[in-house]
Amino acid sequence: MTRTAISPRLAMSTLENTSYLSSVSFGRAKAALEGTRFADLRHVERTGSTNEDLAAFARAGGAECALVADHQNAGRGRLDRRWEAPPGSSLLMSVLVRPPFPAAGPGLLQVALAVAAVDALDALAGLRVGLKWPNDVVEVTAEDAGGRSAPGRKLGGLLAEFVQVPGSDPAVVLGIGLNLAWPDGLPEELAAIATTVEELGGRPVDRGDLVAYLLTELDRTGELATSTAACADLLERYRDRCVTLGAQVRVELPAGHVVGTAAGVAADGALVVIDDGGAAHTVTAGDVVHLRPAE
Ligand code: BTN
């Protein structure tokens, strides 16, 4: 597929106003990404939602690229929720990915980004965090003397949106929000359920370095299109970091719910839950509530 650089000629309100990242640290990120699929890295101070911007760009035929914002005033979360963060407090980034998609399905792109987020926080902030299915980045707490782990407060999340325009290549827009350091701390209503890298005692993270880490990892997903071994290896890395596996869960589904043990993650990233009657349920989208920690 021909790669089209983001062009100001495209009628894209936000992307028309973006600039190539110019601060020192983002300059480092651009240098690190030179020659990769995500060399076209853009930064905007303020927008509604970077996911919305790249979905519009994808519908207009735009090529693979990444967009980072300092602030969003209509940030989107999973299941039609809002994603809010004060200016400059977080990594807010979306990535437009074109085919070829992973052989096991485009869902593995989110898996790859989620694994990369956990590894990036370990490498750059010195922080061990985990994943709550599907892609919540969470602190990991040891719940009892046996050291069984459970998800604690959330410090980040992913939102993937599939964009399909008849007659043209599909696209996936992958969005990620990671709470780094909130200037005034978290508001009271979020304090019990959310946290930040700073609050967890992580080293200060440079957003440019974080962007470079994540996009370098995502650049490698090309091999997932042709290698089932690479898909299997990625899923193994996801399972290692996923605190939901083995736990008793209640999954809220679009219609109804299922209660049981989170027994596995399928090849396409779906969660397999075994209910008390021994029946297996494959869940592709839903909200997981942990009832007891993993054993
Ligand atoms: C979740 O609900 O856990 C997913 C949150 C995803 C938020 C990110 S921030 C950057 C990108 N733009 C958006 O509007 N949403 C995603």
Side-chain angles (χ1 to χ4, degrees):
M1 196 184 91
T2 317
R3 297 238 165 99
T4 336
I6 291 179
S7 153
R9 284 189 305 265
L10 288 171
M12 222 62 57
S13 57
T14 299
L15 288 178
E16 277 175 357
N17 300 324
T18 58
S19 56
Y20 283 103
L21 297 168
S22 57
S23 70
V24 173
S25 66
F26 281 124
R28 222 168 38 224
K30 278 202 74 69
L33 294 166
E34 213 170 299
T36 74
R37 295 160 65 185
F38 305 111
D40 194 352
L41 173 61
R42 296 268 171 150
H43 169 248
V44 64
E45 274 177 25
R46 176 180 292 268
T47 187
S49 153
T50 54
N51 260 42
E52 176 54 40
D53 294 339
L54 288 197
F57 186 57
R59 284 192 289 273
E64 292 186 318
C65 61
L67 176 64
V68 177
D70 293 340
H71 185 50
Q72 301 180 125
N73 50 33
R76 303 209 294 232
R78 286 179 63 237
L79 307 170
D80 287 332
R81 295 177 184 135
R82 296 277 306 241
W83 187 264
E84 300 195 4
S89 66
S90 305
L91 174 72
L92 305 169
M93 176 172 78
S94 297
V95 191
L96 194 168
V97 186
R98 293 285 192 186
F101 296 139
L108 282 206
L109 294 170
Q110 294 190 66
V111 171
L113 186 56
V115 168
V118 170
D119 291 357
L121 293 181
D122 188 5
L124 303 177
L127 205 58
R128 289 285 169 121
V129 294
L131 294 168
K132 172 174 174 267
W133 189 91
N135 291 310
D136 284 357
V137 182
V138 293
E139 72 174 330
V140 179
T141 61
E143 283 280 303
D144 62 14
R148 289 180 293 193
S149 58
R153 293 164 295 171
K154 174 166 170 170
L155 67 154
L158 270 68
L159 174 67
E161 299 182 78
F162 198 74
V163 181
Q164 177 79 73
V165 178
S168 43
D169 271 346
V172 171
V173 175
L174 286 176
I176 181 165
L178 285 174
N179 300 335
L180 300 178
W182 285 32
D184 301 318
L186 287 149
E188 212 176 302
E189 66 275 14
L190 285 181
I193 53 168
T195 188
T196 66
V197 168
E198 182 184 49
E199 201 174 81
L200 292 177
R203 291 191 297 268
V205 177
D206 179 284
R207 279 187 304 158
D209 291 344
L210 191 49
V211 164
Y213 193 109
L214 297 175
L215 294 179
T216 303
E217 288 299 306
L218 214 49
D219 184 50
R220 300 205 173 105
T221 56
E223 69 169 331
L224 301 175
T226 50
S227 167
T228 46
C231 292
D233 178 61
L234 171 64
L235 278 168
E236 216 32 61
R237 293 169 62 212
Y238 175 85
R239 291 184 188 106
D240 277 352
R241 291 156 183 75
C242 180
V243 290
T244 302
L245 283 179
Q248 277 292 112
V249 294
R250 175 186 165 99
V251 189
E252 306 293 346
L253 302 169
H257 67 268
V258 55
V259 174
T261 304
V265 175
D268 61 355
L271 183 69
V272 180
V273 178
I274 309 287
D275 70 21
D276 292 343
H281 303 259
T282 301
V283 178
T284 51
D287 228 7
V288 170
V289 180
H290 280 235
L291 303 175
R292 269 198 274 122
E295 313 215 346

